[in-house]
Amino acid sequence: AEYDGSETWKKLLFSLVFYNALILERRKFGSIGWNIPYGWMGSDLKTAQMQLRLYLSESEAEGAGAPFDTLLVMVGDVTYGGRITDKMDKLTNKSILQEFFCTAVLEDGHCLAEGYQVCVGSTLSFVQARVDELPRDDKPRMFGLHPNAEISFRHNESSGLLNTLIASPVGIDSSAPSQGREAATDETPGTTTAEDPAESKAGEAGDDEATAIARSASAILSRTTSAPSLDLSAAHADTFAQVDRRINPLGVFLRQEISRFKFLRAVVEQTLAELDRAMQGLVVMSGPLEDMYQRLAIQRVPAQWESAGYPCLKPLGAWVQDFLDRIGFMDAWLRNGPPASFWLSGFFFPQGFVTSVLQMHVRETQTPIDELTMTSQATSMVIPHDGDFSAVSPPSLGVYIHGLFLQGASFTAELGEACPGVLFERFPLINLQPTPRSSVADEQGSAPQTYSCPLYKTSLRAGTLSTTGHSTNFVMSLALPTSQDPGHWTRRGCALLCMLDE
């Protein structure tokens, strides 16, 4: 009886059920599917089905067409969107649902995805039989994703398995042999017992592991202590130059970043020195030190460093090198003055840098900051963060930033489909330009079409909800030119990242 109704009802019901299945299965692709994996339930589908029946019946009774705008709000924003907490996920959900609640769905032979045609029939059993004939393999294109998303899915699956195996406690339980030796000694006092070969090997393996960890900790400590000291007294005259009788905002931002890096380095050096003393037996091996020992053994960043540091998913070796690179960039800025291009990924708080650029423009032009917004313009220069910037001159307006990676697409002069097998593409330099809001509003009608591309600190994309309403992993949105519908890139999960995981 629930299936009985007009042909429009049957087509939209099929689209609704297909949409429900798609958003649930899209979770398997990780952050490129959804920033946060939401737990939609059967009750959500039931509620959406009741809403579809209600609003469609009212519309048909009035002789009007299907109320797509109402359905997009009630089903997309309320029923399913009510569970979504991430702002970018809300946009993705709305963009997906627009593909299923539209006039094209009511056309005969319309396909919701390649190989998935809208099924209608006189009975529900007929439709169920047709559904059983649909393709069993779910290709990424069906979800609006690029085929590279399948590679990401397989990589995430294998990485999760390997990380679980690595973190699993593996070893030889020596308690039983020890008890056996004690029993044998009690029965035959004065006699000696041969050493168990397996136990001997286990002891040698433990000694080798401890030696390797001690050597690794010593190497890291040596590298951090020999890194630049970030002495503010050695600053270039332009670094903390005054604007309007006050230190320029970028100089204030640099000073705050340096204090954060100094604190992190102090934590790294203190914990490494404490671990070395604990391994020598000079101090007690506390719980945090034991956890640090275990993490170093499997090449993971210690928890103390993570809590004092910045969001980063790199393994231990890459994390240390990245940390030293960041200190090197800060030292070069401190000693040589503001660079031609800023390594946005190297900051603790990149959002603060963007605000500082706006404040610099405010000081120089005496424009109220609430009348400004940050616009972006991509260049054709692709230079790694440790590359040569001698040929780059600062822009006439704003600043250059670099060090970003594009996921889910490629970029030349505009966004294009990603190359097969290329999951991340190094993005060219971007010119961040403080622009009056009135100018942006005036150019909206004549400006080229752009995609508001989100920029995240890590590939995890998810974060905690801050007071600004954005995720703490979210930095800003950058307008990238595109000849395709921006919703296409939203469904692709296209985003910019400050760093990779390796």
Side-chain angles (χ1 to χ4, degrees):
E2 293 182 357
Y3 186 67
D4 295 338
S6 65
E7 186 171 336
T8 299
W9 154 255
K10 293 179 180 180
K11 289 182 177 180
L12 292 180
L13 177 61
F14 185 88
S15 296
L16 174 62
V17 175
F18 194 95
Y19 156 78
N20 178 80
L22 185 146
I23 61 174
L24 287 172
E25 288 299 311
R26 188 181 167 100
R27 297 180 300 182
K28 72 179 184 179
F29 294 101
S31 59
I32 199 171
W34 298 105
N35 289 355
I36 301 173
Y38 302 99
W40 291 291
M41 300 183 294
S43 59
D44 298 317
L45 176 59
K46 185 67 174 179
T47 302
Q49 179 181 336
M50 295 170 61
Q51 291 171 334
L52 175 60
R53 170 76 82 175
L54 173 64
Y55 293 115
L56 184 60
S57 299
E58 291 180 353
S59 180
E60 290 178 340
E62 297 173 358
F68 291 117
D69 291 339
T70 302
L71 292 173
L72 287 173
V73 173
M74 297 305 298
V75 176
D77 294 339
V78 179
T79 303
Y80 284 92
R83 295 188 182 272
I84 300 177
T85 57
D86 186 273
K87 181 179 179 181
M88 303 311 300
D89 282 342
K90 288 181 180 291
L91 296 176
T92 302
N93 178 60
K94 194 67 171 290
S95 179
I96 293 174
L97 187 57
Q98 287 173 345
E99 296 290 299
F100 296 95
F101 280 174
C102 59
T103 54
V105 174
L106 304 180
E107 299 175 359
D108 294 335
H110 177 73
C111 290
L112 300 174
E114 184 178 353
Y116 295 84
Q117 184 175 331
V118 176
C119 298
V120 294
S122 57
T123 62
L124 182 59
S125 58
F126 172 81
V127 177
Q128 290 173 338
R130 292 291 300 274
V131 169
D132 290 337
E133 298 174 0
L134 294 175
R136 294 295 182 183
D137 296 331
D138 300 332
K139 302 298 182 183
R141 291 191 185 277
M142 167 189 169
F143 302 92
L145 300 170
H146 190 275
N148 285 346
E150 184 70 20
I151 302 176
S152 299
F153 166 63
R154 302 297 180 187
H155 180 269
N156 293 339
E157 288 285 294
S158 57
S159 296
L161 174 61
L162 291 175
N163 289 335
T164 302
L165 292 175
I166 291 173
S168 299
V170 179
I172 300 176
D173 186 2
S174 59
S175 60
S178 176
Q179 294 172 357
R181 286 197 309 272
E182 291 175 359
T185 303
D186 291 340
E187 293 176 0
T188 55
T191 61
T192 59
T193 305
E195 184 178 5
D196 188 348
E199 185 176 338
S200 176
K201 292 181 179 179
E204 293 175 0
D207 293 340
D208 292 342
E209 179 185 80
T211 302
I213 293 175
R215 187 183 302 113
S216 175
S218 176
I220 295 174
L221 182 60
S222 175
R223 296 179 67 185
T224 55
T225 53
S226 61
S229 61
L230 300 178
D231 183 6
L232 296 180
S233 63
H236 189 275
D238 295 337
T239 302
F240 300 118
Q242 293 192 352
V243 177
D244 193 20
R245 296 193 299 272
R246 288 172 290 180
I247 296 178
N248 68 87
L250 285 177
V252 175
F253 170 77
L254 175 62
R255 180 171 292 178
Q256 294 172 345
E257 287 289 305
I258 287 178
S259 65
R260 295 186 183 104
F261 278 104
K262 284 184 175 180
F263 175 74
L264 176 56
R265 178 161 60 181
V267 171
V268 170
E269 295 175 355
Q270 177 184 352
T271 53
L272 286 173
E274 195 72 10
L275 178 64
D276 179 63
R277 296 180 62 196
M279 293 178 65
Q280 296 181 39
L282 301 178
V283 296
V284 176
M285 180 71 79
S286 62
L289 290 178
E290 176 68 20
D291 179 71
M292 180 179 179
Y293 179 93
Q294 297 297 336
R295 284 173 174 258
L296 292 178
I298 57 177
Q299 292 296 299
R300 288 187 177 177
V301 181
Q304 300 98 311
W305 303 2
E306 289 181 336
S307 60
Y310 41 83
C312 185
L313 303 178
K314 296 178 181 292
L316 179 63
W319 187 93
V320 172
Q321 184 60 52
D322 177 74
F323 174 53
L324 297 176
D325 288 344
R326 292 173 186 242
I327 292 180
F329 174 76
M330 295 296 164
D331 184 68
W333 181 359
L334 178 68
R335 294 177 179 275
N336 305 325
S341 179
F342 293 85
W343 183 26
L344 186 68
S345 311
F347 300 136
F348 261 81
F349 190 51
Q351 299 95 322
F353 172 78
V354 176
T355 303
S356 297
V357 174
L358 283 174
Q359 291 175 338
M360 281 286 291
H361 188 78
V362 168
R363 298 271 185 92
E364 294 170 354
T365 64
Q366 301 300 313
T367 304
I369 194 170
D370 58 348
E371 295 181 5
L372 295 174
T373 185
M374 187 67 76
T375 59
S376 60
Q377 183 176 353
T379 69
S380 58
M381 297 178 286
V382 181
I383 304 176
H385 74 270
D386 54 351
D388 183 12
F389 288 88
S390 58
V392 179
S393 300
S396 57
L397 176 62
V399 297
Y400 283 136
I401 60 171
H402 64 277
L404 308 183
F405 299 88
L406 182 63
Q407 182 182 21
S410 63
F411 187 86
T412 49
E414 65 177 17
L415 285 173
E417 295 295 348
C419 298
V422 180
L423 304 183
F424 304 96
E425 180 179 291
R426 189 178 292 276
F427 204 78
L429 268 66
I430 299 175
N431 182 196
L432 293 183
Q433 301 174 339
T435 308
R437 295 183 183 273
S438 57
S439 300
V440 176
D442 294 340
E443 296 175 358
Q444 281 184 349
S446 59
Q449 184 174 240
T450 59
Y451 164 63
S452 185
C453 184
L455 170 62
Y456 298 100
K457 296 178 183 178
T458 69
S459 64
L460 188 63
R461 300 194 185 185
T464 57
L465 194 64
S466 65
T467 54
T468 62
H470 290 291
S471 164
T472 52
N473 206 341
F474 176 82
V475 179
M476 63 184 299
S477 290
L478 300 173
L480 304 182
T482 175
S483 57
Q484 299 192 57
D485 176 29
H488 172 78
W489 302 114
T490 301
R491 295 186 292 275
R492 277 283 195 263
C494 176
L496 285 166
L497 306 177
C498 285
M499 69 186 80
L500 302 182
D501 298 350
E502 300 176 352

